Amino acid sequence: MPLTVEPWTLREPTLDVDDLPRTAALLTVANGHLGVRGVLEEQRPAVAGGTLLAPVYERHPHDYPEPAYGYPDHDERLEPVVDACGVDLEVDGEPLDVRTGSLEHHERRLHLRTGVLEREAVWTSPGGTPVEVRTRRWVSLVRRELVVTAYEVRAPQGARVRVRVVPGCPGPGGAPGRGADGSAGPGLVSEACGHDAGRTWVAQRTVLAGVGVVLATEHDVTAGDGVVHGWTQDAHGWVLDADLPPGGWVRLAGRAAYACGRRPVEGLLADARTVLADAERAGEDRLEAEHRAFLDDVWERADVVVEGDDELQQAVRLAVLHTVQAAARVEGTGLRAKGLTGLGYHGHTFWDAEGFVLPVLDHVLPHASAAHLRWRHATLPRAVERARTLGLPGAAFPWRTISGEECSGYWPASTAAVHVTADVTDALVRHVAATGDDALEQEVGVDLLVHGARFWMGRGHHDDDGAFHVHGVTGPDEYTAVVDDNTYTNLVVARSLEAAVRVTARWPHEARRLGVDDDERARWAAAAAAVVVPYAADLGVTEQSAGFTRRPRWDFARVPDGWTPFEDRVHYTELYRHQLVKQADLVLALVVAGDRFTADQKRRDFAYYEPLTVRDSSLSASVQAVVAAELGHLTLAHRYTRECAFIDLHDLRHETQEGVHVASMAGAWDALVRGFGGLRLDHGHVRVGPRLPPGISRLRFRVRVDGSHVEVDARRDGVTYRLLAGERVVLRHEDEELTLSPDAPQVERELVPVAEPTPPRQPPGREPRG
Amino acid sequence: MPLTVEPWTLREPTLDVDDLPRTAALLTVANGHLGVRGVLEEQRPAVAGGTLLAPVYERHPHDYPEPAYGYPDHDERLEPVVDACGVDLEVDGEPLDVRTGSLEHHERRLHLRTGVLEREAVWTSPGGTPVEVRTRRWVSLVRRELVVTAYEVRAPQGARVRVRVVPGCPGPGGAPGRGADGSAGPGLVSEACGHDAGRTWVAQRTVLAGVGVVLATEHDVTAGDGVVHGWTQDAHGWVLDADLPPGGWVRLAGRAAYACGRRPVEGLLADARTVLADAERAGEDRLEAEHRAFLDDVWERADVVVEGDDELQQAVRLAVLHTVQAAARVEGTGLRAKGLTGLGYHGHTFWDAEGFVLPVLDHVLPHASAAHLRWRHATLPRAVERARTLGLPGAAFPWRTISGEECSGYWPASTAAVHVTADVTDALVRHVAATGDDALEQEVGVDLLVHGARFWMGRGHHDDDGAFHVHGVTGPDEYTAVVDDNTYTNLVVARSLEAAVRVTARWPHEARRLGVDDDERARWAAAAAAVVVPYAADLGVTEQSAGFTRRPRWDFARVPDGWTPFEDRVHYTELYRHQLVKQADLVLALVVAGDRFTADQKRRDFAYYEPLTVRDSSLSASVQAVVAAELGHLTLAHRYTRECAFIDLHDLRHETQEGVHVASMAGAWDALVRGFGGLRLDHGHVRVGPRLPPGISRLRFRVRVDGSHVEVDARRDGVTYRLLAGERVVLRHEDEELTLSPDAPQVERELVPVAEPTPPRQPPGREPRG
């Protein structure tokens, strides 16, 4: 992709039509509720899924060759809705199609600071008529139903051009399938529509899930001197015809509102019209000002300054923007693995929301983190039902879902991956530690933690010696499944149980309401204290799971080199029985439960697992970066950080067309802040200890600590700690305790130099790609 | 089911229409190649799948919610073909339908000694016309394409009856499905047909697998005095009209031949007509005589006399007949789990053919055992291809198949259940030991064993201490999956490797052709000697797999009592992590590799696993019977034997409508012979030691030992050993060595009395049902 390196812009200076599916993902503007992908307004060529709404999904029945008890009976899939930004343009009767005629100039710019996508095209039709087109679009981060668009056509000097502009060109929408018996199958169908000059509305609904959506649009027309224009109605709706004298222009300023839910069309239409009326009252300037203010506030908290690596500087800002666009307005839905940038993973939410994105949102957009956790809490009845299906107490959160119901059709990598339930509660605990949000802890935290703890007491067991085990689980590493005592799982379970004990003590009323008594809390505490961490004494290495280090090692000569995922060429029976690690698992435990390991143990563990870890998952490089940085492998950490940051910008996994990797994007920020920044929030203590690799000369970031806001600015010549807002904060810089307070808000320290040890090797051909 | 207890007949004295799907399975006549289920000739009510041909299957594409590398892309399913025994009868214009009018008498008898099914019905039509019908059918065990039928209609004294007989009423055949794109989907379609008076033919073909089948029929008409009859042609084909005076009768004697294969209709039709012409030349009497001679020979070898338990006596004879009917003519196909008695398991072959049926066939029908093993050998290229897909050397036999290709859509219970490959080779070794069939060993044995051994060397591994492990496998117990070092698997793997060493030494030419050298043989021997048998020293118990005894026990209070299989109400994640055993697994190892365990160890192991084993598989009771008998729990063994023998006769699993459990049927014989008979063939030594439980006063059976034929006749007052045919045989009776020879063919000994120890308990509600 021919994208330039610029600090605050993602600029595509020329159009590569074959790249459109990928740039559609990268150039998405979204707010977590509504996403408009970077498709061309004219949809020529058509790119699927131009507009995605987080609540609009369909149920697709699962078909199993060998069904079994407790298998989810349907999948849920995000269904693309009708596009609000679609525009069809005819130039002297010829449709604008960048693949025909002559495209003299085409540039698109996603402004990272403002979240606005702009496009400029200079095109000459096959018939020889030249025209200039400028478009603009953004999705409000404040009014989550609102898309604002502009489409401007201009005749060049010296040419007179007749144009027809057809707004609301639907683009490729969903079509309903058919069941084997001819009944209406899954899909999105249009229910009703209405048109008027400059105004349209369309109602759609998913057939089986019954989620309705109404899009209502309004377009204001302005034009330059001498332009004759007017709306007329033809067979397809209302169209705008304009005669442009040389240099003349016409501009359609569009506002579009989506309303959705399981309600009749009338109600949805009324809601969409209310949003439009409010937007019209506010006016274009105020709408954009409030949207920009939202983002200014984000950048104030979120921006990471990286000097010395301009590519990484741009990439981490793109990463922050995409993280924010995936998360900002997830109230009532939940953060999706691909955000709203594509249809990959069917639009599902996975554990990486809690494991990789929320730790970043806690600092850059805490309300989104809270909204996601409140959504999880809203799905608790379904998680309770799922646990009941499994014959277990408490709640079992789904591996992949839109509505909160388990959708996975492959249990060894889903229902067995019980850690997702602990990831949810751990995210809550971390969020409260970062933000001091007691209300969230009281309102949803107690409930989540108690249900989680009860699940663990059923899912795990004490052996005859009292040790607490969790058997038959799949940890983060998806190349090792259905094992006993996965260390990562056991340690997050222990954290979950400890937190349940602590939080039920803080909120005795809520705990009593849930029937928690001292006996139950004592059992949780005992289990947490007795949790097993398998250890290979002969190797001095923590085991990823019981017996892991006694498995045969993978013979890397068995299959040809290259980045094709092993799972695409090796059967599960072979993958699972070897010491082949898809993604950080034990190494993730070194981060998430870092206080359980000595520095020396971490060194041995990282050295052991690094040559086994093939990184076929995008949920790995950021974790490896953080641990590498902690252990002084700064150059290696820098390369992992770049891999993580470039995953979509360089399309490293050849799947960006399905949407960006939000967790990897968030991971880029995390790799810088937790990795090079050395930030750790453990047991209420805040540790920092910035280190700069040779390729980075300055790193500045800001984090939240118990509600206060602290800046860390690391340069070769020293580190500056600044309290930007809030109360007194105590930080541990290396071995020293520093206090920042409103009276003495700034402290300077030396940057501790690091002698890089010899780094461990990766599997053949699997060195970091940054 | 209202079936009487008789020594040589399965008699249904009255018709229960609701029972038809079950009696259709039990009253099947078949020869392993062709099966005609016990459906009523008129197919009113219709029962699906009247006629099954082992080679006629269809490919049905698999649809996976989450596909992965190496998953089989299609299933194979036996497709019912057009019925040869179908007859439509009109009585004074009204169709014979046992659900209408008045059924004064209805009896069906399956003659166990002859494999002939007879039916008598006395019926009065709704219009008041009485009629008597007698039918008869059998499937030749000698001419495998041939079905012989008779349909006789008689007017009672005092009534004149006009009847129309329409032979070849097709009954419910298959219909092709349709793909999502409207293309012809999987199914069986009719290609062509032809009719003449008393002769018809129909050609069908499976759409995707392309297997063609032609049925050709001939009917001879005879009639009593005063009967006017004649063929006429109507819109549907040729029909026989007859006017029956009081007491008059008309009889259609039918011969039908099925030819099938991937060939054009013309060739198939020619083959079918050749079979009919040969049959006509032979004449009805000779056809039946040769068929009876085949069965007489079977009974000479196979009959087990059980005195004192008449129900069991009948059941074991039915079991032998069904085993023979499933196996007799499996040349080129393979023995199916349900024989040809129903569509359960889609008509697939599983490991129970080798594990449960062949050990019996080795004694009662050795050529069928050999034919099945030759079929396995013929599928070796597919097993080699499957191993290659798994990235492994040698051959991996499929878990379930018709053609030899793996069909399972659930790998943890199939591709992980690698023991099937060792079961195949172990069956071969046992077969040669029982029959002395050196040609089979040379022609297919070496090849199978070498490919098996090479698979194991790739699938298993030596650890740093040299011990040989097989990781990530599923043993026989399907409630425990993907574990390390399943004892049963490891021991059959060791047997397979040892046999490969031995047999390649016997057949050096064949071994050299396969590239086997001394180094490779030494590696096999070393692996076999080093195979791991996990042992729980604290409990003094052999582990079913590594760590099994350290899993939590199942809490039987968790789900309600009853025989509903646990897998129908418990999720795999919960089943797999507990000590819950679906079927004999470690206990099967005690039988198959009995020489690896001391008597004391067997006692401890049986006592440990018995309370964990819920017997949700039909592949368990016979094994438990054998081990219980060996350990002196004779009453318990008797009950297990009865459960095994009654599984279909009493429809204990509520699934007999899908076909009988051939392995369980064979298991009934095995429970008597290996269990109470005490027969063991280990390392060329033959041990016997009959024991009689209180409920059985005499047990007589015959077995093959290295090609000789020996009778064992145990009564309370003593045991008689007789050499019936063949050379000198040395038997170990208890601790004594006995020699039988043509000169001294008979020896008498005391029956050793057994004091029954206190038996172990089964899980609550899971006591044997015999």
Side-chain angles (χ1 to χ4, degrees), chain A residues 50-275:
Chain A
T51 307
L52 304 174
L53 269 167
V56 182
Y57 72 94
E58 177 58 314
R59 294 163 71 116
H60 290 255
H62 272 319
D63 189 12
Y64 297 95
E66 303 190 21
Y69 172 86
Y71 280 13
D73 60 10
H74 64 270
D75 191 16
E76 298 173 342
R77 297 191 197 156
L78 205 56
E79 295 286 338
V81 300
V82 60
D83 291 331
C85 70
V87 170
D88 212 356
L89 176 68
E90 283 177 24
V91 178
D92 281 351
E94 290 181 293
L96 171 57
D97 183 337
V98 293
R99 294 165 302 181
T100 67
S102 158
L103 188 64
E104 279 90 27
H105 171 66
H106 196 283
E107 176 168 308
R108 291 190 290 173
R109 293 179 297 272
L110 176 60
H111 295 282
L112 306 179
R113 202 184 281 279
T114 60
V116 173
L117 179 69
E118 291 179 331
R119 173 190 181 204
E120 296 167 0
V122 178
W123 182 72
T124 304
S125 73
T129 308
V131 73
E132 293 173 23
V133 174
R134 284 164 200 252
T135 79
R136 196 163 185 278
R137 73 172 76 138
W138 50 277
V139 169
S140 175
L141 287 160
V142 178
R143 302 175 191 231
R144 67 180 196 162
E145 303 87 356
L146 188 69
V147 189
V148 179
T149 64
Y151 196 92
E152 182 182 314
V153 193
R154 186 180 288 263
Q157 294 302 335
R160 174 172 286 276
V161 181
R162 189 172 44 81
V163 297
R164 167 167 284 195
V165 188
V166 187
C169 152
R178 287 277 150 192
D181 57 354
S183 65
L188 186 78
V189 291
S190 291
E191 289 193 321
C193 63
H195 300 274
D196 202 344
R199 290 168 179 260
T200 65
W201 64 272
V202 182
Q204 300 178 303
R205 193 172 298 272
T206 57
V207 175
L208 302 182
V211 182
V213 53
V214 165
L215 162 65
T217 65
E218 290 178 354
H219 288 90
D220 299 334
V221 183
T222 50
D225 291 345
V227 174
V228 178
H229 63 87
W231 290 103
T232 58
Q233 195 170 12
D234 79 353
H236 301 95
W238 288 84
V239 301
L240 179 72
D241 287 310
D243 249 324
L244 307 179
W249 56 270
V250 64
R251 182 176 193 267
L252 256 80
R255 292 175 301 282
Y258 288 92
C260 59
R262 286 198 175 80
R263 286 176 293 142
V265 170
E266 298 69 34
L268 295 172
L269 180 57
D271 285 358
R273 284 182 166 155
T274 301
V275 172

Side-chain angles (χ1 to χ4, degrees), chain B residues 132-216:
Chain B
E132 292 174 25
V133 174
R134 282 164 201 253
T135 79
R136 196 163 184 278
R137 71 172 78 137
W138 51 277
V139 169
S140 174
L141 286 160
V142 178
R143 304 176 189 231
R144 66 179 195 162
E145 303 86 357
L146 188 69
V147 188
V148 180
T149 63
Y151 196 93
E152 182 182 314
V153 192
R154 187 180 286 266
Q157 295 302 337
R160 174 171 287 275
V161 181
R162 187 171 47 81
V163 298
R164 167 165 285 195
V165 188
V166 187
C169 151
R178 287 276 150 191
D181 57 355
S183 64
L188 186 78
V189 291
S190 291
E191 288 193 323
C193 63
H195 300 274
D196 202 344
R199 290 170 178 257
T200 64
W201 65 271
V202 182
Q204 301 179 302
R205 194 172 296 272
T206 56
V207 175
L208 302 182
V211 182
V213 53
V214 164
L215 163 66

Side-chain angles (χ1 to χ4, degrees), chain A residues 62-63 65-66 68-69 71 390-391 408-411 458-459 461 552 558 567-572 574 576-577, chain B residues 62-66 68-69 71 390-391 408-411 458-459 461 552 558 567-568 570-572 574 576-577:
Chain A
H62 272 319
D63 189 12
E66 303 190 21
Y69 172 86
Y71 280 13
L390 301 175
S408 171
Y410 181 61
W411 71 262
R459 188 60 173 79
H461 69 279
R558 261 178 78 159
E567 62 196 322
D568 287 356
R569 45 186 173 155
V570 180
H571 193 269
Y572 285 135
E574 289 297 292
Y576 290 172
R577 76 181 175 93
Chain B
H62 272 319
D63 190 12
Y64 298 96
E66 304 190 20
Y69 172 85
Y71 279 14
L390 302 175
S408 171
Y410 181 60
W411 72 262
R459 188 61 173 77
H461 69 280
R558 260 179 79 160
E567 61 196 322
D568 288 356
V570 180
H571 193 270
Y572 285 136
E574 288 297 294
Y576 290 172
R577 75 181 176 92

